[in-house]
Amino acid sequence: AQKVTQAQTEISVVEKEDVTLDCVYETRDTTYYLFWYKQPPSGELVFLIRRNSFDEQNEISGRYSWNFQKSTSSFNFTITASQVVDSAVYFCALSEEPGGYQKVTFGTGTKLQVIP
Amino acid sequence: GAVVSQHPSRVICKSGTSVKIECRSLDFQATTMFWYRQFPKQSLMLMATSNEGSKATYEQGVEKDKFLINHASLTLSTLTVTSAHPEDSSFYICSARDLTSGGASNTGELFFGEGSRLTVL
């Protein structure tokens, strides 16, 4: 069975600090997808990134970067120079059969508070 | 990009009444949609997979008669919470996969609705 663990329940940082959100996953499949979503206080889920299991290249998008390490089953998310607008709950998620209709399993989320 | 819309975004009802939540894929067809439930400060838990033209597939522990799902068309799935009680108060989110957006991998991008917050008094 698939499982996603986000050990950090809540993190507080001061604006402009860098912050890394940890994500560790478990799966028996060799083919899977990993996701990060942002959920601001308004509730909607905002898609941030999708990474397939065969692509271990790290990715950078503006102030966001992701570090995928299959050897440790981790998919960590770093926000550089954090801003107040980054305050939200961030979910890491895993899907084992991306080509089909398999469900997405979410981690418990990490609440990030950026203090001005 | 593809958009999934939910309605209503907020609903308050009396205990014992039924509430219907709609999930629409606005610019793509979705043979499969997913319904999630999120309790305060908790993660999203999959409730059921809605299949167009056939019965929904419910996750273990989810009452089929309590949470009725109908996927009548390729762009609409509905979740009806029947005889709602205060413990049904929650944030319900639907998602749909746009299989045309996966590119060469044909994996399909997964899009989420805005969510519907149900409060049962």
Side-chain angles (χ1 to χ4, degrees):
Chain A
Q2 55 194 38
K3 183 180 178 182
V4 178
T5 301
Q6 293 179 256
Q8 303 151 308
T9 305
E10 292 192 37
I11 300 176
S12 290
V13 298
V14 177
E15 199 172 21
K16 297 185 182 179
E17 286 184 347
D18 298 346
V19 59
T20 296
L21 309 182
D22 298 333
C23 174
V24 175
Y25 63 92
E26 295 177 27
T27 177
R28 296 177 184 174
D29 277 13
T30 56
T31 303
Y32 53 90
Y33 270 62
L34 295 164
F35 306 80
W36 275 95
Y37 288 90
K38 175 182 179 180
Q39 187 178 40
S42 53
E44 78 275 16
L45 280 176
V46 178
F47 169 81
L48 296 178
I49 190 172
R50 178 182 61 180
R51 172 68 67 203
N52 75 53
S53 55
F54 298 107
D55 183 1
E56 286 194 71
Q57 282 190 339
N58 292 329
E59 181 158 338
I60 299 175
S61 177
R63 296 184 297 109
Y64 295 167
S65 63
W66 291 269
N67 185 349
F68 179 26
Q69 302 249 344
K70 287 183 75 172
S71 60
T72 56
S73 297
S74 65
F75 187 44
N76 297 337
F77 172 34
T78 297
I79 301 175
T80 304
S82 59
Q83 300 176 1
V84 174
V85 293
D86 296 328
S87 297
V89 179
Y90 291 86
F91 290 98
C92 180
L94 167 70
S95 174
E96 283 184 331
E97 290 188 13
Y101 299 103
Q102 275 296 334
K103 62 184 179 182
V104 176
T105 297
F106 287 84
T108 50
T110 297
K111 182 177 181 180
L112 174 65
Q113 184 178 12
V114 181
I115 304 168
Chain B
V3 176
V4 174
S5 179
Q6 276 184 247
H7 178 80
S9 58
R10 292 179 181 272
V11 56
I12 300 173
C13 68
K14 293 182 179 180
S15 185
T17 61
S18 294
V19 175
K20 180 186 287 187
I21 301 171
E22 295 184 345
C23 178
R24 294 182 184 273
S25 55
L26 297 186
D27 54 3
F28 67 98
Q29 294 183 331
T31 56
T32 302
M33 293 183 175
F34 304 88
W35 285 97
Y36 291 82
R37 181 175 183 178
Q38 185 181 31
F39 290 103
K41 298 184 179 182
Q42 293 190 25
S43 186
L44 288 80
M45 301 300 297
L46 180 67
M47 298 175 63
T49 302
S50 173
N51 305 299
E52 188 269 335
S54 64
K55 292 182 179 180
T57 304
Y58 290 82
E59 295 299 302
Q60 190 174 8
V62 178
E63 299 176 60
K64 301 178 182 180
D65 296 331
K66 176 72 171 179
F67 300 100
L68 299 179
I69 291 174
N70 184 283
H71 197 146
S73 76
L74 288 172
T75 59
L76 174 65
S77 174
T78 60
L79 169 67
T80 300
V81 183
T82 62
S83 187
H85 287 90
E87 58 265 30
D88 298 325
S89 298
S90 190
F91 192 60
Y92 294 88
I93 306 177
C94 72
S95 68
R97 195 183 298 274
D98 178 9
L99 292 177
T100 64
S101 66
S105 66
N106 195 30
T107 58
E109 191 63 71
L110 188 64
F111 295 94
F112 284 85
E114 311 94 324
S116 300
R117 189 169 302 282
L118 170 63
T119 302
V120 184
L121 302 177

